[in-house]
Amino acid sequence: MLSHVMPVYAPAPVVPVSGKGLWLYEANGTAWIDCIGGIATNALGHCHPALVDALALQSHALWHVSNALCIPGQAELGAKLTAASFAELAFFCNSGTEAVECAIKTARRYHAVRGAPERSGIIGFHGSFHGRTYAAINASGNPAYLEGCGPLLPGFDHFDIADRAGLAAAVARPTTAAVIVEPVQGEGGARALADADLLRLRQLCSAHGVLLIHDEVQCGMGRTGRLFAHQWVEGAAPDIMAIAKALGGGFPVGACLATADAASGMTAASHGSTFGGNPLAMAVAGAAFDIIADPDMLAHVRAMSEQLRSALETLRCQHPDIIVDVRGKGLLIGLKLAPNNRAFIAAARQHGLLLAGGGDNIVRLLPPLTVSAEEAEMIVERIAATCMAMICPAVA
Ligand SMILES: *Cc1c(COP(=O)(O)O)cnc(C)c1O
């Protein structure tokens, strides 16, 4: 079936035709609990009625006009996002990696318009993921994504977050433009940065006139139980932030947010996008924002996270040979496994549970923010059954 599609993916043998909330359904009626969630994208579950309505309504009015004409939805969503964050300006695009591209351009142009174009160095971290475009794979430095894609781009360096001395020296270089970091690493291993590390990065950048970029493409928009993950830590706000995934609740849309100062190089014609910020995306993302940013929703995320985490910790104690660590933040939950994570994901499918993979031999649970207490219990039951099956494959 995929014979004319470039074989860059290895999809599981599941063909959903419809979805509702946490659940996905195949044509033959098979029901799945979906903890992939479009990779942390369907934050309100599948086919949330408010998003279906917003999309349907807009689809009858207008889809696309390009940024050659005015799109009022951009101003509306921009106002919501900036009122709820450190930022004053937004650029809308279609994906996470484009939001990262814009963030890196914004940082470099900030220095260039101040007469310091040599300040172009971008500092990233081992274990990070920023997307698949050239700037993004170079910012992450993960050899798995760089291999065979030609020479490395100049101007990118990578450190362990624990390498304080190396990091401090690199940030202090007169050629450094920005630091890019995920407050909670997603793909790379569901690792939440320590509060102290986030604060240290903020202080280090401020001390040297270096811009701080947060990549909250995965951990932002409510996933951790705050609207943005860095909002757990007072005084840690970045200058520039990339968001996407949950922003459209499943509709493709991304944004680069920045303070007016950090965005001062983003002058007319310095950047752009044909599809970015189109009326359909703005309508759906606007509706998703109102639901996700509701304090009751964020409190619900924190409660469901606590319930899931404490149950998963209990499972880890019962199956220390299977589950080595429970990590992440909020409803971005990683289980570091002893057995191969791909084998665990396949075994979970035998129990009707769809899990996402990740670096460092983790599986990720990315349920919708709307997951109920009963559904969270079902998820844990199915993980428990999967653990049993990994121990005794014959009897399970
Ligand atoms: C998914 C992701 C990206 C890339 O997003 P795409 O929409 O796939 O381009 C970038 N950064 C982080 C942290 C992500 O999780």
Side-chain angles (χ1 to χ4, degrees):
M1 192 179 97
L2 293 175
S3 57
H4 295 285
V5 175
M6 286 191 192
V8 296
Y9 304 114
V14 176
V15 189
V17 293
S18 67
K20 190 82 205 143
L22 176 68
W23 298 84
L24 280 175
Y25 303 96
E26 294 190 87
N28 65 6
T30 306
W32 299 89
I33 287 187
D34 180 15
C35 281
I36 303 173
I39 319 219
T41 289
N42 301 95
L44 301 176
H46 296 285
C47 293
H48 188 287
L51 303 196
V52 171
D53 285 351
L55 183 63
L57 198 66
Q58 186 62 45
S59 77
H60 289 286
L62 192 63
W63 293 18
H64 178 73
V65 295
S66 89
N67 288 290
L69 302 176
C70 297
I71 304 173
Q74 289 187 18
E76 285 166 32
L77 184 57
K80 289 179 186 181
L81 288 166
T82 54
S85 72
F86 68 93
E88 288 150 328
L89 292 168
F91 174 84
F92 292 106
C93 52
N94 311 288
S95 65
T97 200
E98 287 172 89
V100 167
E101 291 286 324
C102 180
I104 290 173
K105 278 196 190 178
T106 301
R108 285 181 166 174
R109 290 188 56 88
Y110 167 88
H111 296 292
V113 299
R114 281 166 177 71
E118 73 285 358
R119 291 192 77 152
S120 62
I122 306 293
I123 294 170
F125 292 93
H126 296 139
S128 65
F129 180 78
H130 299 299
R132 302 290 195 155
T133 52
Y134 273 100
I137 58 179
N138 280 273
S140 151
N142 185 334
Y145 302 129
L146 286 162
E147 199 180 274
C149 292
L152 298 184
L153 295 183
F156 292 89
D157 281 301
H158 309 94
F159 291 88
D160 273 340
I161 192 74
D163 178 7
R164 294 186 180 204
L167 199 53
V171 173
R173 279 182 214 144
T175 51
T176 297
V179 170
I180 182 165
V181 68
E182 296 162 88
V184 184
Q185 288 187 340
E187 303 303 303
R191 292 184 205 85
L193 246 72
D195 293 0
D197 284 327
L198 273 180
L199 270 180
R200 191 161 51 84
L201 281 180
R202 174 68 278 176
Q203 286 154 5
L204 201 54
C205 286
S206 297
H208 296 283
V210 165
L211 295 176
L212 178 60
I213 303 171
H214 281 174
D215 180 347
E216 293 221 16
V217 168
Q218 186 158 159
C219 62
M221 290 310 294
R223 180 58 49 186
T224 69
R226 302 269 178 223
L227 186 58
F228 299 112
H230 69 261
Q231 291 175 337
W232 281 97
V233 188
E234 179 104 25
D239 303 294
I240 303 171
M241 178 167 69
I243 56 174
K245 290 201 166 86
L247 180 60
F251 195 92
V253 55
C256 175
L257 305 184
T259 63
D261 186 47
S264 51
M266 300 308 274
T267 48
S270 63
H271 194 48
S273 167
T274 298
F275 288 124
N278 65 77
L280 281 179
M282 295 300 98
V284 181
F289 180 93
D290 294 341
I291 302 171
I292 292 172
D294 183 331
D296 290 341
M297 175 61 78
L298 298 172
H300 175 75
V301 172
R302 299 193 289 273
M304 290 304 100
S305 171
E306 266 175 42
Q307 179 186 329
L308 274 167
R309 272 161 205 286
S310 74
L312 291 168
E313 278 295 347
T314 304
L315 268 188
R316 183 182 64 80
C317 295
Q318 289 164 351
H319 299 287
D321 297 339
I322 309 257
I323 301 175
V324 179
D325 191 18
V326 180
R327 3 161 132 157
K329 196 157 187 140
L331 290 176
L332 196 175
I333 300 175
L335 301 180
K336 181 164 169 65
L337 301 175
N340 178 273
N341 61 346
R342 295 283 148 197
F344 192 92
I345 289 168
R349 279 203 300 274
Q350 299 300 315
H351 298 277
L353 177 64
L354 300 174
L355 297 173
D360 203 24
N361 204 43
I362 60 154
V363 293
R364 271 174 302 163
L365 280 75
L366 302 162
L369 311 185
T370 49
V371 68
S372 70
E374 296 71 32
E375 288 171 334
E377 235 170 82
M378 293 180 76
I379 291 168
V380 174
E381 279 163 17
R382 292 183 188 202
I383 299 265
T386 306
C387 288
M388 291 303 293
M390 296 296 285
I391 298 168
C392 315
V395 294

